[in-house]
Amino acid sequence: MSFVGNCGTFTRGYKAMIMDVEFLYHLLYLLICALGLFVHEFFYSLLLFDLVYREETLLNVIKSVTRNGRSIILTAVLALILVYLFSIVGYLFFKDDFILEVDKLPNETLLPDRTEPGETMTGEFLYSDVCKAGSSENCSSIIPSDQLITEEMEEENKEHTCETLLMCIVTVLSHGLRSGGGVGDVLRKPSKEEPLFAARVIYDLLFFFMVIIIVLNLIFGVIIDTFADLRSEKQKKEEILKTTCFICGLERDKFDNKTVTFEEHIKEEHNMWHYLCFIVLVKVKDSTEYTGPESYVAEMIK
């Protein structure tokens, strides 16, 4: 309410209210407070982002992404196009290499249900460590049931993730961009005797150089350069405020060897807060009681 009253928001019309970023910001925070009060307390934690709005350095971190947002978005589109092309090549030629380990939710039972009469003998035959009489296999080479179960679980924890083109795109997008060496880090390691070994090496290297090294670093470079420019602008503003008179624009070196120092000038002769107080006086004073200088200043302010 103090923001609305001080800025005269409701006296400027609806269009000005909609275009006012600060008014929308306060309105959003009012909505978040209402959600925290009536919906869930989690929404109160979003109010911590007010620290970003109040601190210029943190605000520059956000601006480093939003200022050149168009360049970042276009570079990201280029990355998606490359991922789409690599997904098509992987779907056509390297479908069998897309075998990834997954962590499935544990089942209630690892062994088959033996309640049925017909399944009892099958389960005994498959999972029992007892040597079966009349069988031709050597009893000394029987694999223990625990090892069989482990091998079956390892096989079950691996899935083909390129059965469809959509799954190929999702796999390359999710695992390829998050891996340091590209999509080749998560695919099956091919043997050198396979006919497509050379093609697979070229596929992995092209993805690594084109997507990981070039495209992603382009996005990082745009963000870092923008943040450096914003930091330079902030430092330049602070330097101007420290070395230049805010009222007349004279720099500190102009007062060297003069009777008035720069500090005395900005505190006595051109104190900016004195000017601000005079402007407030002109705004609150009745226009019929203006003096000559006050009338002139009032016209200049308008």
Side-chain angles (χ1 to χ4, degrees):
M1 293 306 296
S2 63
F3 171 80
V4 172
N6 292 332
C7 297
T9 304
F10 294 133
T11 61
R12 294 182 297 173
Y14 293 104
K15 185 177 181 180
M17 291 169 54
I18 296 175
M19 299 299 294
D20 190 355
V21 178
E22 290 191 8
F23 173 72
L24 297 177
Y25 172 80
H26 285 81
L27 191 63
L28 175 63
Y29 265 51
L30 180 63
L31 177 62
I32 292 175
C33 290
L35 292 175
L37 184 62
F38 297 106
V39 180
H40 196 274
E41 293 82 359
F42 162 77
F43 291 98
Y44 287 132
S45 62
L46 299 178
L47 299 175
L48 291 173
F49 283 107
D50 187 58
L51 180 64
V52 179
Y53 180 77
R54 294 174 180 270
E55 181 58 42
E56 186 178 0
T57 303
L58 297 177
L59 194 60
N60 286 338
V61 176
I62 305 300
K63 289 181 179 179
S64 64
V65 180
T66 58
R67 171 175 285 192
N68 290 330
R70 186 172 184 273
S71 300
I72 295 175
I73 291 175
L74 291 177
T75 310
V77 170
L78 175 61
L80 291 176
I81 293 174
L82 292 175
V83 167
Y84 179 63
L85 295 177
F86 277 100
S87 301
I88 294 176
V89 174
Y91 178 71
L92 294 177
F93 301 102
F94 308 110
K95 182 185 297 185
D96 296 333
D97 293 346
F98 284 78
I99 303 176
L100 302 181
E101 292 185 0
V102 296
D103 297 328
K104 293 184 178 180
L105 294 176
N107 296 326
E108 295 181 359
T109 57
L110 295 176
L111 298 179
D113 189 8
R114 301 184 181 182
T115 56
E116 297 294 333
E119 295 181 356
T120 303
M121 295 299 296
T122 306
E124 289 292 336
F125 180 78
L126 292 177
Y127 297 102
S128 177
D129 295 338
V130 180
C131 180
K132 301 298 184 295
S135 62
S136 60
E137 77 178 331
N138 189 2
C139 291
S140 61
S141 63
I142 293 178
I143 301 176
S145 61
D146 293 341
Q147 185 176 350
L148 286 173
I149 295 173
T150 303
E151 293 177 356
E152 290 180 2
M153 290 178 63
E154 291 179 355
E155 291 294 329
E156 290 179 356
N157 289 339
K158 292 183 179 180
E159 288 185 353
H160 290 272
T161 57
C162 194
E163 296 296 334
T164 62
L165 180 59
L166 179 60
M167 284 304 302
C168 275
I169 296 173
V170 172
T171 303
V172 175
L173 184 64
S174 175
H175 296 277
L177 296 182
R178 292 189 294 112
S179 301
V183 72
D185 286 355
V186 297
L187 299 186
R188 182 184 66 87
K189 304 301 184 289
S191 173
K192 63 180 181 180
E193 298 178 355
E194 296 181 9
L196 293 178
F197 175 76
R200 172 64 191 279
V201 172
I202 296 174
Y203 178 79
D204 295 345
L205 289 177
L206 283 177
F207 188 92
F208 176 71
F209 282 110
M210 295 179 66
V211 179
I212 303 298
I213 291 183
I214 297 177
V215 177
L216 292 186
N217 284 319
L218 280 176
I219 297 176
F220 298 152
V222 170
I223 296 174
I224 294 172
D225 290 342
T226 306
F227 181 75
D229 294 340
L230 292 170
R231 183 175 57 186
S232 299
E233 292 177 5
K234 181 176 180 292
Q235 293 175 350
K236 187 176 181 180
K237 290 178 182 179
E238 293 176 351
E239 184 180 358
I240 290 174
L241 289 175
K242 292 179 180 178
T243 61
T244 306
C245 177
F246 185 77
I247 303 302
C248 64
L250 291 177
E251 298 179 352
R252 182 183 291 270
D253 56 359
K254 299 294 190 296
F255 295 89
D256 293 341
N257 301 324
K258 297 293 189 293
T259 56
V260 179
T261 63
F262 178 76
E263 285 75 13
E264 292 176 350
H265 174 74
I266 62 176
K267 289 182 179 179
E268 300 295 337
E269 296 179 349
H270 281 170
N271 191 320
M272 60 179 178
W273 301 114
H274 292 172
Y275 282 79
L276 178 62
C277 292
F278 184 69
I279 291 174
V280 174
L281 172 67
V282 171
K283 286 182 174 293
V284 300
K285 190 175 181 180
D286 190 358
S287 60
T288 58
E289 298 179 359
Y290 282 166
T291 62
E294 291 173 352
S295 301
Y296 173 77
V297 171
E299 289 295 326
M300 295 303 294
I301 291 175
K302 291 181 181 179

